[in-house]
Amino acid sequence: MSINEMQKMASSSVPKWHSSSVTTKIVNNLNPICQATQQLTLKGKFVIIHNQSKSIPGKFISVQIYSGTDVDPETGKGKLSEKAHFKQGESMKHSHDAQSTTYKIKIHVDSNFGTPRAFVIQNKYKKKFFLQSASIETSSNRIIHYDINSWIYPIKKTKSDRLFFSNRCYLPSQTPRALVELRKEELDILRGDGMGERKEWDRIYDYDFYNDLGDPEKGPEHLRPVLGGTKLFPYPRRGRTGRKQSTAGPSGESRPQPMNFGIYVPSDERFAPNKLKELKSNCVHAMVHFLSPKAELLPQRNSANFQSFEELLEMFSSNRSQIIQGWMKDNLKKLIPVTYLKEITIANKENHGQLPIPQIISENELAWKDDIEFGRQMLAGTHPTRIQCLTTFPPQNKYGIQSSIKKSIIEQKLEGWTLSQAMEQGRIFMLDHHDYLIPYLNRINANGVCAYASRTLLFLRTDGMLKPLAIELSLPGPSPHLEIHRVFLPAKQGTQAALWQLAKAHVLANDSVYHQLISHWLCTHAVVEPFIIATKRRLSVMHPIHRLLNPHFKDTMHINALARLILINSGGILERILFPGEICMQISCDLYKEWKFIDHGLPADLLKRGMAVQDPDMNNPTGIQLLLLDYPYATDGLEIWVAIKEWVKDFCSFFYKDNEAIEGDVELQAWWSEIRTQGHGDKHNDRWWNQMTTLSNLVETLTILIWIASAKHASLNYGQYAYSGYPPNRPTLCRKFVPLEGTVEFGEFLKDPDKFFLKMLPDRFEMSLAVALVNVLSNHTCDEVYLGCQQSPGWIDNEVIQNRFAEFKQELKEIQARIMQRNRDPKLKNRRGPANIEYTLLYPDAATSSASKRGITGRGIPNSISI
């Protein structure tokens, strides 16, 4: 018996007229509830509220219900009920200042009405509100759930009612006839016509180039190339806003004012108001704390650098100045509008909080200097995805220019191994920041910074930890085929030890840039956005794949839009703190040329970097064997990867019984085509794209996408404050080259190596800004939804899928228990290292209590790229 027949049979037992009780819930303060409530209600929020106790007058909000089984012959759509208005609002306060109001209505329908599977809501109130969920209870006590999480704008703005479908999933060919036309109309609305400027209340998804990063109206130095659409500057697409073209520069959109958070994203992608408020609060708190110096030191601020490590540590003291003036105010004016600066100034006077000390120095202030800690962070720090196994010695670039690191030098440090033996056993590793930087260094170093390209070689000791062998720092030579190399070797004390520390700082600056621009921004934030746009344009909310993916897209488009506004734009934060400066995004473009989606599943990534080999054992679900048994990111990540893949496989297998069903799914095929030809249009001719014709290809594609949006992003983002919060551990740029013996600078270095080191680091404003940034990025907000969790317990109307999801959640709990057990194993030294920092970034859940899930926890895998 089909689902349709079962529904009709159920409806035939209902009396001729019956009541459907609709419960809706509107949140009318500034914070939605962090965890999904057990109430099956529809909740929403007012963005603008003046009285927390005042709820929306129900008479302004009306609902009509569509039948999902019986067709109105006049419209060809499901029968539509009479209109009913909200009544009996019941308010309730929740944690984090959230307040919800529950409304109940009754709608009388004909006995032939059938099962309610959609409804339209109309807002005649003057303000928008945020609705979270709805439930419709039929006279037979059947509950129909609706997962909403959407803004409802006034009808005066939208000119149309808002349609929602229930949580029942249908493939296109299985859609009940009553819903076919509604399904098509809704997708047409979401695609729009590609014309005009988008308004806040629009729900239109379309593609555009990154043509809004420059700001030529500020001057020619703020011109930036358009990213995407050309061979020179290929890039993923972003969501179209349709803003007017800038009058001062070619092909660029005009820019909204930074920090007003008013940039367009489709209304369903906007932050809930609690998150926007919390994000602003975190920004203000961090800027106030880190960008205001101690009052007694203000007269000395003509010195741009920190003068001692003790002074640097004062950044984390609660005894901060309550004054923003002089050089600090001048620098802030370049980044944010005057109105926002006033808000920060006011908050500064009220701020007395103390931010946590970064973990890298919380137990041992000198652990960051340790060579073993330097190597350990490549496996278990905030950027564990770049290190690779060295298979050819000496390393060389694409022109065949070989590294100047000599075999005889490093063989002395291999604990009795020859180089060939060590390489054969997979014991030589490299952190490579050479080839992609060399072409840009002359331009970069003309702008007041001192940058090298670098290669760092390491040896895997018998205890499983990495020992640095040598660092090679390179500059361009007089021609593209020539380079200038300097090689530095580890030393424990004296001048060579101090020089080695300077060399490590340059390596870490390289790694910080690659981490922020490529691993983090490009390979998670930017590459996922086209998948979101295509999903909303081509897959109905009733489509099971839409239902599977939607939790993993929460807040991503909004956070990416804010990044274009204040982070990656001309003169933005990343240009201020990272050494490539104005060419940051060009480097990102260059490395997108090498991007392949299929390489970003975890097993494929580890194989590509030589960190694992194929495993012929058919019982190994990962298909690979790690070369390093103590590689926390990879070990924990592979367990998460397998759990995700098994969940995705079971989900897809339920809806697709054979490959023909996949090939015949018109929405799925349109989705995959649009991702390749529009969303990642500059890569559409690449031959590595999978054909969406088999269950295995579908499962692999969805697993990679969910992995990137959840675990991979979490591993790269939420440990930033722990490691980058103390700038000497991960500087973002260097102001001096490593001095050459016989020069004046070398004499300055010999006189006071520590002071020279501090002068080499970013100036105090750049350093403070970088710390403020990673502080904000490392915070979990109160509405975070973690892997294995859903915002609503009735997120899908299918008991089999809900039971399988519960198994997935339980598996993640068991994985977390195993990770915690590994963290307690003293044999696994990379789990803590000299800094004694547990590897918790891939704990699926942040904590056992809701209160401890907020803030800088260094743990937990959110479902999506939400910050």
Side-chain angles (χ1 to χ4, degrees):
M1 183 181 295
S2 70
I3 292 173
N4 226 358
E5 290 169 334
M6 292 172 65
Q7 290 172 335
K8 287 188 176 182
M9 182 177 290
S11 67
S12 66
S13 63
V14 179
K16 185 172 182 180
W17 292 94
H18 74 277
S19 298
S20 291
S21 174
V22 180
T23 303
T24 62
K25 203 171 195 183
I26 299 176
V27 176
N28 51 30
N29 192 20
L30 292 175
N31 285 323
I33 300 170
C34 295
Q35 285 74 39
T37 149
Q38 294 301 311
Q39 272 190 305
L40 299 174
T41 56
L42 186 151
K43 299 187 296 186
K45 283 190 177 182
F46 290 113
V47 171
I48 301 173
I49 189 166
H50 304 286
N51 184 349
Q52 296 183 5
S53 63
K54 184 179 180 182
S55 59
I56 293 179
K59 64 182 180 181
F60 291 106
I61 314 300
S62 63
V63 171
Q64 289 178 279
I65 298 175
Y66 274 108
S67 170
T69 51
D70 276 39
V71 179
D72 184 333
E74 294 184 8
T75 65
K77 305 172 186 176
K79 289 182 178 179
L80 187 61
S81 75
E82 64 183 17
K83 188 177 290 187
H85 293 84
F86 287 176
K87 295 178 181 178
Q88 299 175 359
E90 298 176 2
S91 296
M92 180 184 297
K93 289 185 178 182
H94 301 276
S95 57
H96 311 305
D97 298 325
Q99 181 168 311
S100 60
T101 303
T102 303
Y103 298 86
K104 295 181 180 179
I105 62 174
K106 291 184 178 180
I107 297 179
H108 298 288
V109 296
D110 187 86
S111 61
N112 298 324
F113 187 80
T115 306
R117 285 292 172 197
F119 70 84
V120 288
I121 186 168
Q122 185 180 98
N123 176 16
K124 286 189 175 181
Y125 193 56
K126 57 186 176 181
K127 297 177 182 179
K128 63 184 177 183
F129 54 86
F130 188 83
L131 291 87
Q132 189 179 51
S133 61
S135 61
I136 297 176
E137 182 178 355
T138 68
S139 58
S140 58
N141 298 322
R142 185 179 181 184
I143 306 293
I144 309 296
H145 296 286
Y146 297 76
D147 227 15
I148 308 299
N149 298 303
S150 298
W151 290 101
I152 308 300
Y153 282 81
I155 188 72
K156 286 185 178 180
K157 301 284 189 183
T158 63
K159 310 301 181 187
S160 63
D161 297 346
R162 181 68 194 275
L163 173 69
F164 292 101
F165 295 102
S166 75
N167 293 353
R168 174 66 62 89
C169 290
Y170 305 97
L171 293 176
S173 62
Q174 299 168 347
T175 310
R177 193 160 63 91
L179 301 179
V180 169
E181 195 61 28
L182 290 173
R183 182 172 187 151
K184 179 179 179 297
E185 287 180 358
E186 180 72 358
L187 284 174
D188 286 342
I189 289 170
L190 294 171
R191 286 194 286 269
D193 60 7
M195 305 294 290
E197 182 174 355
R198 301 291 174 236
K199 304 301 182 184
E200 178 190 342
W201 50 87
D202 286 337
R203 292 191 308 122
I204 298 174
Y205 297 78
D206 207 351
Y207 303 96
D208 209 341
F209 306 125
Y210 279 71
N211 61 356
D212 61 345
L213 302 183
D215 197 355
E217 294 178 8
K218 289 184 177 179
E221 70 275 13
H222 285 280
L223 280 169
R224 296 293 181 270
V226 173
L227 308 186
T230 63
K231 288 185 177 180
L232 184 60
F233 298 117
Y235 219 62
R237 303 299 187 258
R238 50 102 173 171
R240 180 182 180 273
T241 66
R243 290 194 305 270
K244 295 178 181 178
Q245 295 291 296
S246 170
T247 57
S251 305
E253 273 189 354
S254 57
R255 288 181 55 78
Q257 192 178 44
M259 301 302 285
N260 67 3
F261 294 82
I263 192 168
Y264 169 79
V265 290
S267 60
D268 285 352
E269 308 306 319
R270 298 187 70 83
F271 295 157
N274 74 309
K275 177 159 182 174
L276 191 58
K277 179 187 178 186
E278 188 172 357
L279 185 60
K280 285 183 176 180
S281 174
N282 289 344
C283 289
V284 169
H285 190 195
M287 292 177 110
V288 164
H289 188 93
F290 291 115
L291 295 177
S292 54
K294 285 185 67 176
E296 64 267 24
L297 294 176
L298 278 169
Q300 303 173 25
R301 291 313 167 193
N302 57 349
S303 170
N305 300 97
F306 288 99
Q307 299 300 299
S308 68
F309 287 106
E310 290 73 22
E311 184 186 330
L312 200 158
L313 287 170
E314 286 292 334
M315 291 176 68
F316 308 101
S317 168
S318 59
N319 182 25
R320 303 289 289 169
S321 167
Q322 296 180 5
I323 304 170
I324 294 180
Q325 63 181 33
W327 64 275
M328 185 64 67
K329 196 168 188 176
D330 292 341
N331 275 291
L332 283 173
K333 282 181 179 178
K334 298 174 185 177
L335 288 170
I336 58 179
V338 173
T339 53
Y340 199 69
L341 183 57
K342 287 180 180 177
E343 185 178 339
I344 291 175
T345 304
I346 294 170
N348 191 33
K349 294 176 181 178
E350 300 171 351
N351 175 55
H352 302 290
Q354 183 169 354
L355 291 170
I357 295 174
Q359 283 180 282
I360 188 62
I361 56 169
S362 62
E363 290 197 24
N364 181 351
E365 290 181 5
L366 299 179
W368 63 275
K369 289 187 173 184
D370 192 293
D371 286 351
I372 297 301
E373 179 63 24
F374 173 67
R376 187 195 74 88
Q377 289 182 32
M378 299 177 199
L379 303 174
T382 192
H383 189 214
T385 60
R386 183 61 181 167
I387 189 170
Q388 64 189 57
C389 186
L390 187 67
T391 56
T392 302
F393 187 88
Q396 61 183 35
N397 67 9
K398 62 183 178 180
Y399 300 113
I401 302 175
Q402 293 186 342
S403 164
S404 59
I405 301 175
K406 302 300 181 185
K407 175 181 177 181
S408 57
I409 294 176
I410 62 173
E411 277 198 325
Q412 301 171 20
K413 303 176 182 297
L414 298 184
E415 301 180 359
W417 297 69
T418 65
L419 179 59
S420 59
Q421 288 172 336
M423 290 181 64
E424 196 174 300
Q425 294 296 314
R427 286 182 169 270
I428 305 297
F429 295 86
M430 177 170 66
L431 186 68
D432 186 4
H433 294 294
H434 181 276
D435 290 3
Y436 71 93
L437 280 175
I438 278 285
Y440 289 102
L441 287 181
N442 285 334
R443 285 178 64 187
I444 290 169
N445 291 334
N447 290 322
V449 296
C450 299
Y452 297 98
S454 66
R455 294 185 181 105
T456 304
L457 299 189
L458 305 102
F459 171 68
L460 178 62
R461 303 191 317 189
T462 53
D463 64 357
M465 304 196 84
L466 292 176
K467 178 176 76 172
L469 298 172
I471 290 172
E472 178 185 63
L473 302 181
S474 304
L475 292 170
S479 74
H481 296 258
L482 293 176
E483 295 178 8
I484 301 167
H485 302 297
R486 294 181 68 187
V487 176
F488 300 86
L489 303 176
K492 295 295 184 184
Q493 57 187 5
T495 301
Q496 294 307 310
L499 289 171
W500 171 250
Q501 204 65 39
L502 300 183
K504 285 200 297 184
H506 276 279
V507 169
L508 291 164
N510 288 174
D511 200 58
S512 294
V513 165
Y514 195 96
H515 169 236
Q516 291 291 8
L517 293 180
I518 312 305
S519 299
H520 186 193
W521 165 255
L522 173 64
C523 292
T524 64
H525 286 260
V527 301
V528 166
E529 184 159 349
F531 285 88
I532 300 173
I533 298 170
T535 299
K536 300 306 174 78
R537 284 168 52 89
R538 294 297 174 182
L539 299 180
S540 165
V541 295
M542 289 189 285
H543 198 290
I545 303 305
H546 184 125
R547 185 70 59 176
L548 174 70
L549 290 177
N550 198 52
H552 304 289
F553 295 156
K554 178 179 179 288
D555 294 342
T556 302
M557 286 190 71
H558 201 166
I559 203 67
N560 284 3
L562 295 181
R564 300 200 313 274
L565 200 61
I566 60 176
L567 284 184
I568 63 173
N569 58 301
S570 66
I573 292 176
L574 292 191
E575 286 196 3
R576 291 297 304 270
I577 67 174
L578 299 180
F579 68 76
E582 65 184 35
I583 61 173
C584 276
M585 296 306 291
Q586 290 184 46
I587 292 175
S588 183
C589 267
D590 263 4
L591 288 161
Y592 178 64
K593 294 173 184 176
E594 303 172 5
W595 177 83
K596 296 180 181 179
F597 178 73
I598 58 173
D599 286 345
H600 287 267
L602 182 55
D605 169 55
L606 293 167
L607 288 171
K608 183 179 180 181
R609 292 189 285 122
M611 304 300 287
V613 294
Q614 294 279 4
D615 187 354
D617 183 358
M618 299 297 291
N619 295 319
N620 180 352
T622 67
I624 64 171
Q625 283 184 341
L626 290 173
L627 292 183
L628 287 82
L629 296 180
D630 189 10
Y631 185 179
Y633 163 75
T635 305
D636 299 353
L638 285 171
E639 288 207 54
I640 302 292
W641 167 269
V642 169
I644 293 171
K645 189 167 187 177
E646 288 300 315
W647 153 240
V648 170
K649 181 180 178 182
D650 289 348
F651 183 96
C652 293
S653 298
F654 181 85
F655 290 99
Y656 296 102
K657 302 306 180 185
D658 50 41
N659 292 336
E660 287 71 24
I662 293 172
E663 290 188 72
D665 186 336
V666 293
E667 288 184 7
L668 183 71
Q669 295 302 325
W671 172 76
W672 189 236
S673 174
E674 188 165 292
I675 286 165
R676 291 177 291 128
T677 60
Q678 295 189 56
H680 285 282
D682 297 332
K683 313 285 286 184
H684 74 278
N685 287 325
D686 290 5
R687 295 185 177 183
W688 49 261
W689 288 101
N690 285 329
Q691 295 299 310
M692 196 56 67
T693 55
T694 66
L695 179 65
S696 61
N697 282 351
L698 174 61
V699 169
E700 184 72 10
T701 297
L702 298 176
T703 304
I704 294 172
L705 185 54
I706 293 171
W707 164 259
I708 292 171
S710 58
K712 184 176 182 180
H713 178 261
S715 71
L716 294 166
N717 183 71
Y718 293 102
Q720 291 192 80
Y721 187 72
Y723 291 99
S724 305
Y726 186 63
N729 185 59
R730 288 187 68 79
T732 56
L733 59 82
C734 291
R735 291 289 181 191
K736 290 178 177 292
F737 291 114
V738 181
L740 290 165
E741 194 167 352
T743 63
V744 173
E745 283 216 324
F746 195 80
E748 180 188 346
F749 159 75
L750 289 176
K751 188 182 299 183
D752 191 337
D754 280 353
K755 190 172 183 179
F756 188 93
F757 180 90
L758 288 169
K759 288 179 71 174
M760 190 179 77
L761 296 182
D763 67 34
R764 63 175 72 245
F765 180 79
E766 294 159 346
M767 199 182 290
S768 300
L769 185 61
V771 174
L773 173 65
V774 297
N775 175 273
V776 172
L777 295 180
S778 300
N779 267 277
H780 289 289
T781 54
C782 77
D783 68 341
E784 206 81 89
V785 183
Y786 292 93
L787 192 64
C789 300
Q790 293 284 351
Q791 285 185 300
S792 165
W795 67 279
I796 190 168
D797 186 6
N798 188 292
E799 188 175 355
V800 173
I801 296 297
Q802 287 206 6
N803 289 340
R804 179 60 187 90
F805 186 75
E807 293 173 5
F808 173 55
K809 183 174 184 176
Q810 181 59 36
E811 174 62 18
L812 292 174
K813 288 183 178 179
E814 293 171 7
I815 289 171
Q816 180 155 320
R818 291 194 291 271
I819 295 173
M820 295 171 73
Q821 187 175 6
R822 286 194 287 270
N823 283 343
R824 292 191 293 267
D825 188 342
K827 296 177 184 176
L828 301 176
K829 298 182 183 299
N830 291 320
R831 291 274 160 185
R832 289 182 177 272
N836 197 27
I837 303 175
E838 275 192 333
Y839 190 70
T840 60
L841 293 171
L842 289 178
Y843 280 10
D845 197 11
T848 53
S849 66
S850 59
S852 56
K853 290 184 179 183
R854 295 181 71 190
I856 299 175
T857 66
R859 60 184 64 193
I861 302 174
N863 270 327
S864 63
I865 301 166
S866 56
I867 188 66

